[in-house]
Amino acid sequence: MLSRSSFNLLNLDDYSCVSDRPRIPRVMTVHGILSEFEEDDNGGIDNRNINETDRFPDAVSSPTAGRRIVVANQLPVKARFETETNKWVFQYNPDSLVLQLKSGLEPDTECVYVGSLPVDVHPSEQEEVAQILLEKFRCVPTFLSLEIQNKFYHGFCKHYLWPLFHYMLPVTRTQGVRFDRVAWRAYVSANKVFADKVMEVINPDEDYVWIHDYHLMVMPTFLRKRFHRIRVGFFLHSPFPSSEIYRTLPVRDEILRALLSCDLIGFHTFDYARHFLSCCSRMLGLDYKSKRGYIGLEYYGRTISIKILPVGIHMGEIESVKSSAETAAKVLELKQKYNGKVVVVGVDDMDMFKGISLKFLAFGKLLEDYPTLRGSVVLIQILNPARSRGQDIQEVETEMRTVAREVNRKFTKDGFEPIVLVNGSGSTHEKVAYFAIAECVVVNAVRDGMNLIPYKYTVSRQSNPDLDRVLEPDEPESNPKPKKSVIIVSEFIGCSPSLSGAIRVNPWDIDSVTEAMYLAIKMPDREKEMRHEKHYKYVSSHDVAYWARSFDQDLVRACKEHFHKRCWGVGFGLQFRVVALGPTFRKLSVEHIVSAYKKTNSRLILVDYDGTLMPQGLIDKTPSKEVISILNALSSDPKNVVFIVSGRGKDSLSKWFDSCKKLGLSAEHGYLTRWSGDSEWESCELTVDVGWKKVALPVMEHYTEATDGSFIEQKESALVWHHQEADPDFGAWQAKELLDHLESVLANEPVVVKRGQQIVEVNPQGVSKGVVLDRLVTTMQNTGRPLDFVLCIGDDQSDEDMFEKLGSSVANGIAEVFACTVGQKPSMAKYYLDDTVDVIKMLHGLEAVSTHVAESTRFHVETRT
């Protein structure tokens, strides 16, 4: 719920008019580390009462026009310094994913890349280098100072955030780096530098920004703060941990809220997305909704879409490598070297999560359990360089080499070692050649975001005329044999769900990995062929172009409503967020409603209780003296008829409002009504048979017993199952099951089963707050009190019935109509207030008018007397 203190503070840094604003220098060097709460020189947030609608009254842009600004930690270029010319030389890196994704965009779509260089450039050369990169490669470099680079990348990203996202908690100092506030501030500072570079080149009315990976998770906040309607997508290439792991992060809320500044957030697997949604639910109280295959989170009037799609490989690059003479020569060399051997291959980065030692242990056990395989099977392990530095990397490498030496010592036969270590810093041609001769690939990571090695292996094993002539020289080119491959993949990596023909293993279970290797080696050729065909069909159709195209289309779809809403900036630092409102949905001004209140003489005021007059989080729901005083003042005004319209039972309402003698009460959503404290309770005109309770109550009791923290509320006309005290995920899950169960068993009963805010409720048909409003309006008109003012205010789904009635025929002929919801959210109401504090403030304004009129009347009477 929005903070009352900050809601009216509008962020009005006018960076929207690009042509009028000063250009940010192409080279920006950061000397210090920013606080995560540091604001801009102008204060960051302003109090002026204007918004972006005033700047863009008729803003319309083509849905797919504009460039794609692709932001990643590293630019898709290779760099080297030529001492002969004393110049930097750059070229595109064909292996870079952010470069490859352009193949999925429209041919005329321009891409601009923002990121850091893989080399250090002296400050005196940065201006020239930036100019070259922008003009020739459409790249905008971010030159971070050495201090920030070390603390941002090697400190916070690789030694804290990356292990945490891979389920490794720094319980002791030997198990990882603990949270460091200085490193976190460096992370924030680096993200701001990246954001500043984007702002240097963006046209916010047309361009789309696509941010990649965990290095830049708070960057969306800086962008959204500058341009409230900016189009931003984010894709996480690492795992997103479960809420039990993620909530140990001291800056968990800041990162979640920053990601929610995006329009689209992408994940490789449903598990990663599910964990993110669970964190949003448990830590921010946000629930997602699924509609027509799209998952969305409502966040301050904006809908953040969730995308689940694993990335693919660049088919053209692999095919090109396979067709090269360099690859064919390497394949011939390897074929001769390992002639007569069954080759098993692995390609892994040197880090603690790739499970290389576990793989070697399983391979050693294979040779121990199956002596006939000794000397005939070889495991070639290609080791890519580590992406970070530190003691943990050294320990992993030492352990891996120790295990490899031990296996080789025990099982070397005829001078041939069973485990061969290969330096992975070589070319792609070399890796494709190893894939081409391997019968099986083993990807044994204990945790990995995606891992494209199985995809590359599958494509490398597919038929290719140039390689077929080397691998199968006696085979006729016109009729090549079906290709075969086997993949052993850990169940803890992102590509596992998409490889339905792979042998999935638990890398921690050495025995199961051993048996998987034996199965792969002894598998019949026909089975290998069928598995290969299945995998190749998927990999070739779900390549990087497919992934990029799908994400880009969803990003365009997610942003299409931007210029149809009014936007406000709220909050400071990384707590900043944008509130987006529909064109006719606005905050209820106290001055406006008080003015209408003064001019009218026959008023009906309907107010919900829980969540409207009483905050949801409180255990004691007894109304305060302030609330009682306001209600007494309003209901004592002879021009007013005031009702509390609640879902609660009559006993609770009678007890709480016993001192409000002129206050009307409507209990159980209108099933029971009392016009004043001296009148009797009346039931609605419907004849209600509650025999259905005998069926529904045992069902609810079963779910109550199974769901810790839930309870049943029994009313005269209804039954309510509450789960606000239960585990958020389990409670919501059980509520959905209970809803389906009750709808099934009560299908032939005259009742309605509904879900509300952490409740499942069964009500008689024809009973709703909308019916209450209709009946009260009709009664007053029939008794000679035509209305000229109606106020309905409530916070949950049951109140929407009132708002809908008020927006239709009920309001005809009434001069002043106010339907107001509490909390900014999609609603049938035309107005909203932020929270119960604002509701009390508004009612105080009305109370002041009634009290003033009453005192004036009393004064005139006393004067005449």
Side-chain angles (χ1 to χ4, degrees):
M1 192 166 290
L2 299 180
S3 165
R4 188 167 63 94
S5 63
S6 65
F7 188 83
N8 286 323
L9 301 179
L10 309 183
N11 183 342
L12 299 167
D13 301 337
D14 193 351
Y15 294 89
S16 304
C17 304
V18 179
S19 58
D20 297 333
R21 65 183 175 92
R23 297 290 291 175
I24 297 174
R26 178 173 288 110
V27 176
M28 182 173 296
T29 304
V30 177
H31 299 288
I33 297 178
L34 299 173
S35 163
E36 61 262 47
F37 304 108
E38 184 171 327
E39 298 298 329
D40 297 323
D41 293 339
N42 62 358
I45 296 180
D46 201 321
N47 289 323
R48 289 170 287 174
N49 292 318
I50 57 175
N51 58 63
E52 289 193 7
T53 304
D54 302 319
R55 300 191 196 119
F56 306 108
D58 301 303
V60 177
S61 63
S62 172
T64 57
R67 301 169 300 172
R68 301 304 186 264
I69 300 179
V70 184
V71 191
N73 181 48
Q74 279 206 351
L75 290 171
V77 295
K78 295 178 180 180
R80 73 178 190 277
F81 188 77
E82 288 190 347
T83 54
E84 297 83 2
T85 60
N86 206 31
K87 295 286 186 181
W88 284 100
V89 177
F90 302 96
Q91 65 182 93
Y92 279 122
N93 180 4
D95 295 330
S96 173
L97 177 66
V98 295
L99 183 66
Q100 294 173 352
L101 66 82
K102 192 177 188 305
S103 62
L105 306 179
E106 294 294 329
D108 58 345
T109 301
E110 180 185 349
C111 286
V112 177
Y113 304 97
V114 176
S116 60
L117 285 168
V119 294
D120 292 327
V121 178
H122 192 273
S124 63
E125 302 173 306
Q126 289 176 0
E127 179 71 26
E128 181 183 358
V129 166
Q131 189 73 29
I132 294 171
L133 288 171
L134 181 62
E135 293 178 355
K136 296 186 177 180
F137 298 92
R138 307 304 297 157
C139 289
V140 180
T142 57
F143 298 111
L144 299 178
S145 68
L146 187 60
E147 178 191 9
I148 289 186
Q149 176 67 23
N150 286 333
K151 291 179 179 177
F152 153 65
Y153 184 75
H154 296 291
F156 193 78
C157 288
K158 297 305 292 185
H159 284 123
Y160 180 75
L161 203 58
W162 186 75
L164 187 76
F165 273 41
H166 287 74
Y167 289 74
M168 181 179 175
L169 292 175
V171 179
T172 65
R173 292 188 180 276
T174 59
Q175 287 184 283
V177 177
R178 292 178 179 172
F179 180 79
D180 180 359
R181 183 67 61 174
V182 174
W184 160 247
R185 288 173 178 165
Y187 181 85
V188 173
S189 298
N191 275 248
K192 189 176 187 303
V193 172
F194 277 78
D196 289 340
K197 286 300 180 181
V198 170
M199 291 177 228
E200 181 180 341
V201 296
I202 193 173
N203 176 355
D205 298 340
E206 294 186 354
D207 296 342
Y208 292 79
V209 181
W210 187 354
I211 304 170
H212 291 265
D213 223 1
Y214 66 96
H215 314 88
L216 303 171
M217 288 195 294
V218 301
M219 180 183 169
T221 291
F222 295 113
L223 296 177
R224 185 69 62 187
K225 184 176 179 181
R226 294 293 195 216
F227 308 113
H228 295 348
R229 290 186 176 86
I230 194 170
R231 303 167 171 94
V232 183
F234 178 91
F235 199 95
L236 183 67
H237 294 275
S238 76
F240 196 94
S242 65
S243 61
E244 287 76 15
I245 298 293
Y246 180 81
R247 64 186 176 187
T248 64
L249 187 61
V251 288
R252 60 192 189 182
D253 285 1
E254 289 88 334
I255 291 177
L256 281 182
R257 292 189 186 279
L259 290 175
L260 292 174
S261 289
C262 298
D263 299 292
L264 177 66
I265 305 173
F267 300 92
H268 286 307
T269 72
F270 172 70
D271 276 349
Y272 303 161
R274 177 169 56 87
H275 294 157
F276 173 76
L277 294 171
S278 176
C279 289
C280 290
S281 173
R282 290 174 178 272
M283 294 163 210
L284 302 180
L286 303 176
D287 292 324
Y288 72 91
K289 293 182 179 179
S290 182
K291 183 178 181 182
R292 295 183 179 179
Y294 295 108
I295 300 174
L297 278 166
E298 289 292 331
Y299 185 63
Y300 291 94
R302 297 173 49 248
T303 300
I304 294 89
S305 297
I306 305 299
K307 177 80 171 174
I308 303 169
L309 184 67
V311 70
I313 63 172
H314 195 290
M315 293 291 295
E317 183 198 4
I318 301 294
E319 293 295 345
S320 175
V321 170
K322 286 168 61 179
S323 301
S324 72
E326 181 181 348
T327 303
K330 187 64 179 180
V331 169
L332 180 59
E333 175 193 335
L334 295 175
K335 182 187 175 186
Q336 293 171 349
K337 183 176 181 179
Y338 297 106
N339 186 34
K341 301 288 191 296
V342 176
V343 176
V344 178
V345 71
V347 180
D348 298 283
D349 294 345
M350 180 58 68
D351 70 54
M352 67 187 80
F353 297 109
K354 292 301 187 284
I356 302 174
S357 296
L358 296 174
K359 184 192 305 184
F360 289 176
L361 289 171
F363 189 71
K365 194 171 189 310
L366 174 74
L367 300 180
E368 184 175 340
D369 292 351
Y370 302 98
T372 56
L373 296 180
R374 299 172 189 174
S376 62
V377 179
V378 59
L379 171 60
I380 301 175
Q381 178 63 51
I382 301 174
L383 299 170
N384 293 328
R387 300 191 184 187
S388 64
R389 55 179 182 262
Q391 185 179 353
D392 56 339
I393 300 298
Q394 297 172 6
E395 291 174 352
V396 168
E397 183 172 3
T398 299
E399 181 190 8
M400 178 269 298
R401 294 189 182 276
T402 301
V403 176
R405 279 196 301 269
E406 181 62 20
V407 173
N408 286 339
R409 184 188 66 80
K410 291 175 63 176
F411 301 111
T412 295
K413 187 175 182 181
D414 299 329
F416 201 90
E417 295 183 338
I419 296 180
V420 178
L421 301 180
V422 178
N423 186 348
S425 59
S427 66
T428 304
H429 298 81
E430 186 173 335
K431 292 175 184 175
V432 169
Y434 278 108
F435 288 148
I437 67 163
E439 287 289 315
C440 172
V441 68
V442 182
V443 183
N444 204 50
V446 297
R447 187 74 63 179
D448 207 350
M450 183 60 191
N451 201 312
L452 295 174
I453 294 302
Y455 289 15
K456 295 177 179 179
Y457 166 73
T458 299
V459 177
S460 300
R461 292 286 290 174
Q462 182 64 10
S463 180
N464 176 276
D466 298 296
L467 295 187
D468 288 347
R469 281 192 291 269
V470 178
L471 293 169
E472 304 288 346
D474 299 329
E475 181 182 313
E477 292 188 19
S478 59
N479 187 26
K481 289 195 305 185
K483 297 303 175 182
K484 56 189 179 181
S485 65
V486 183
I487 298 171
I488 298 174
V489 63
S490 166
E491 61 191 58
F492 300 116
I493 64 177
C495 67
S496 177
S498 61
L499 297 170
S500 56
I503 304 173
R504 296 191 181 96
V505 295
N506 174 3
W508 300 102
D509 186 350
I510 303 298
D511 292 338
S512 72
V513 179
T514 297
E515 291 305 313
M517 290 180 176
Y518 183 77
L519 174 62
I521 293 169
K522 296 298 183 181
M523 186 179 292
D525 285 351
R526 180 55 186 155
E527 180 68 18
K528 293 180 181 179
E529 291 166 4
M530 293 177 67
R531 290 176 185 248
H532 172 81
E533 183 181 356
K534 187 175 190 178
H535 289 152
Y536 183 77
K537 183 177 181 180
Y538 174 84
V539 172
S540 60
S541 61
H542 292 74
D543 61 353
V544 68
Y546 174 86
W547 170 77
R549 182 166 54 251
S550 180
F551 188 91
D552 188 69
Q553 290 172 351
D554 277 9
L555 179 58
V556 171
R557 177 190 57 79
C559 300
K560 66 181 180 181
E561 296 295 326
H562 274 23
F563 287 95
H564 299 288
K565 292 186 176 182
R566 296 172 297 128
C567 297
W568 280 269
V570 178
F572 295 90
L574 292 178
Q575 298 296 326
F576 175 84
R577 62 269 189 202
V578 164
V579 177
L581 307 179
T584 61
F585 190 52
R586 62 199 64 189
K587 188 171 184 178
L588 180 57
S589 163
V590 175
E591 293 78 11
H592 176 46
I593 193 171
V594 166
S595 174
Y597 187 83
K598 288 178 179 178
K599 295 185 295 185
T600 52
N601 298 297
S602 181
R603 314 182 189 108
L604 176 62
I605 300 173
L606 305 182
V607 186
D608 175 45
Y609 186 64
D610 290 282
T612 303
L613 291 176
M614 178 61 58
Q616 290 283 7
L618 297 182
I619 296 176
D620 182 7
K621 297 293 185 179
T622 305
S624 65
K625 292 181 180 180
E626 182 184 24
V627 169
I628 295 295
S629 174
I630 292 172
L631 293 176
N632 269 325
L634 291 176
S635 59
S636 297
D637 189 332
K639 297 180 180 181
N640 294 345
V641 173
V642 183
F643 265 80
I644 297 294
V645 184
S646 173
R648 287 191 173 272
K650 66 181 180 66
D651 294 337
S652 298
L653 295 178
S654 297
K655 176 183 176 182
W656 290 339
F657 298 102
D658 180 63
S659 60
C660 301
K661 299 302 181 182
K662 296 184 179 181
L663 177 68
L665 299 175
S666 184
E668 300 186 21
H669 299 304
Y671 176 70
L672 296 168
T673 302
R674 189 182 78 179
W675 282 81
S676 67
D678 300 327
S679 61
E680 297 295 324
W681 284 95
E682 305 170 358
S683 63
C684 65
E685 300 173 359
L686 297 172
T687 302
V688 177
D689 178 12
V690 293
W692 53 267
K693 287 188 177 182
K694 297 179 181 179
V695 179
L697 187 57
V699 176
M700 284 190 173
E701 288 174 342
H702 169 71
Y703 282 83
T704 302
E705 181 182 349
T707 311
D708 187 37
S710 66
F711 64 92
I712 301 170
E713 179 187 2
Q714 296 196 44
K715 305 176 183 178
E716 287 190 28
S717 66
L719 288 175
V720 187
W721 185 76
H722 296 260
H723 63 91
Q724 58 262 37
E725 302 300 327
D727 177 88
D729 289 337
F730 186 55
W733 181 17
Q734 290 289 78
K736 182 179 182 301
E737 292 296 318
L738 176 59
L739 181 72
D740 293 341
H741 197 160
L742 289 173
E743 286 179 340
S744 176
V745 299
L746 299 175
N748 297 321
E749 300 288 347
V751 296
V752 177
V753 185
K754 297 186 293 185
R755 278 188 72 177
Q757 284 190 341
Q758 298 177 320
I759 64 169
V760 176
E761 188 167 15
V762 185
N763 287 310
Q765 288 180 353
V767 176
S768 72
K769 292 185 179 181
V771 175
V772 175
L773 172 63
D774 201 3
R775 187 164 66 246
L776 293 178
V777 171
T778 302
T779 301
M780 293 183 67
Q781 290 176 339
N782 291 341
T783 55
R785 292 190 61 181
L787 295 167
D788 53 10
F789 178 98
V790 175
L791 167 64
C792 292
I793 183 166
D795 75 306
D796 66 15
Q797 192 60 39
S798 65
D799 300 303
E800 294 296 318
D801 295 327
M802 279 197 301
F803 304 149
E804 185 176 10
K805 279 284 185 182
L806 203 56
S808 57
S809 57
V810 170
N812 288 343
I814 301 176
E816 302 290 348
V817 176
F818 297 91
C820 180
T821 188
V822 180
Q824 199 288 304
K825 54 184 179 289
S827 174
M828 299 289 290
K830 291 188 177 180
Y831 298 95
Y832 74 92
L833 290 170
D834 298 331
D835 48 32
T836 57
V837 177
D838 271 3
V839 174
I840 300 300
K841 179 181 177 182
M842 183 269 295
L843 293 177
H844 265 309
L846 304 185
E847 175 199 16
V849 175
S850 292
T851 302
H852 176 72
V853 172
E855 290 176 350
S856 298
T857 303
R858 189 182 310 112
F859 174 77
H860 289 304
V861 170
E862 291 175 352
T863 301
R864 286 197 299 270
T865 302

